[in-house]
Amino acid sequence: PAMVEHNIGKYEALKRALYITALEDLEGDYLEFGVFTGSSFVFALRMHRKLRKLGSANTAFYGFDSFSGFGDVSDHDAHPFYQDDTFNISAEKVKRNIRKKAKGLPHTITEGYFDDTVKGKSPADLGIKQKARIVFIDCDLKDPSKVVFDFVRPIIQEGMILMMDDFYSYKGRLDLGLSGAFEEFKEAHPEFEWRRVFDYGFGGIGYICSKAPDTPAP
């Protein structure tokens, strides 16, 4: 099935992102927005355990999801697949599975719509003390994606990998969906430079932050 093929590609991309950052010994945390079943989150935990001898050993994992679907979808985010109740799932079942598979690795799952959990807050408000190592955004719509970009901005660093799922939704429009939020973020924050490093699955993409404001001059 297509979804299985996409997920296989996504897992390979996560492994690649973890490997690249481990090789650079990039200290920072893993943040995933749109946890759903937790399969990607669990895979990232497992791969980190295997690769941490290379570097980037002190990674904490943070996941964010409403577990109740998208909620009220705005008119400009309207899409035939992304409906209000799409991706509704038992939060407790997902959290229980993640706890079991984490095997003691530090992780936090924040339940709720992004407007309620991260909007207007800083990573420090949620106990995130490091810069980001990997940010994985899988929330499809433009409005929640904009909230995520605003939230993670203070912890973006040179070498961080940004993964985005369903990047070509909305018929490839650059002003809608997750890609629309990314375009607006890049325009608002030219202090960051982004280099495309891989594509994966059916519409996933990965960028590396090749320059950040605190990057020393050569």
Side-chain angles (χ1 to χ4, degrees):
M3 187 56 69
V4 173
E5 288 185 57
H6 173 74
N7 285 339
I8 290 171
K10 178 169 60 177
Y11 300 150
E12 185 64 29
L14 278 168
K15 183 177 180 180
R16 198 176 306 171
L18 286 158
Y19 179 83
I20 290 169
T21 50
L23 209 60
E24 297 288 347
D25 197 17
L26 187 73
E27 291 298 341
D29 294 330
Y30 175 93
L31 291 84
E32 183 173 314
F33 298 87
V35 174
F36 192 34
T37 66
S39 63
S40 302
F41 197 87
V42 166
F43 183 85
L45 286 162
R46 191 167 43 135
M47 282 300 104
H48 170 63
R49 189 177 290 109
K50 289 184 176 182
L51 294 170
R52 60 183 170 178
K53 288 182 180 179
L54 286 176
S56 307
N58 301 313
T59 298
F61 290 74
Y62 296 88
F64 302 83
D65 203 301
S66 71
F67 301 105
S68 302
F70 290 116
D72 295 328
V73 177
S74 63
D75 289 344
H76 64 261
D77 270 335
H79 187 278
F81 183 72
Y82 309 137
Q83 302 295 317
D84 292 0
D85 59 352
T86 304
F87 306 126
N88 208 338
I89 197 168
S90 166
E92 285 311 309
K93 184 177 179 180
V94 173
K95 290 178 185 177
R96 189 163 57 246
N97 182 54
I98 289 172
R99 279 196 301 270
K100 179 181 176 183
K101 301 292 176 60
K103 297 181 179 179
L105 286 176
H107 68 281
T108 302
I109 302 297
T110 300
E111 181 182 353
Y113 292 112
F114 300 158
D115 275 358
D116 300 323
T117 57
V118 301
K119 188 174 184 178
K121 296 179 181 177
S122 72
D125 292 334
L126 275 70
I128 300 171
K129 299 175 182 178
Q130 298 191 97
K131 295 285 190 178
R133 173 183 174 189
I134 296 168
V135 172
F136 180 27
I137 306 177
D138 187 8
C139 52
D140 308 308
L141 311 183
K142 186 175 185 178
D143 284 350
S145 297
K146 288 172 68 173
V147 171
V148 169
F149 280 118
D150 286 342
F151 177 71
V152 300
R153 182 195 56 76
I155 54 174
I156 294 173
Q157 63 175 322
E158 185 180 41
M160 183 201 90
I161 301 286
L162 171 64
M163 287 179 56
M164 294 176 279
D165 223 56
D166 302 302
F167 192 70
Y168 302 103
S169 296
Y170 298 91
K171 301 174 182 176
R173 290 268 300 264
L174 282 172
D175 59 332
L176 296 177
L178 173 51
S179 59
F182 185 48
E183 288 297 316
E184 289 187 9
F185 181 76
K186 287 190 295 181
E187 185 175 348
H189 296 284
E191 65 270 24
F192 299 110
E193 292 181 7
W194 301 95
R195 181 181 176 191
R196 185 172 175 170
V197 285
F198 54 72
D199 297 87
Y200 66 89
F202 299 151
I205 195 168
Y207 284 85
I208 189 167
C209 180
S210 56
K211 185 180 178 183
D214 56 357
T215 302

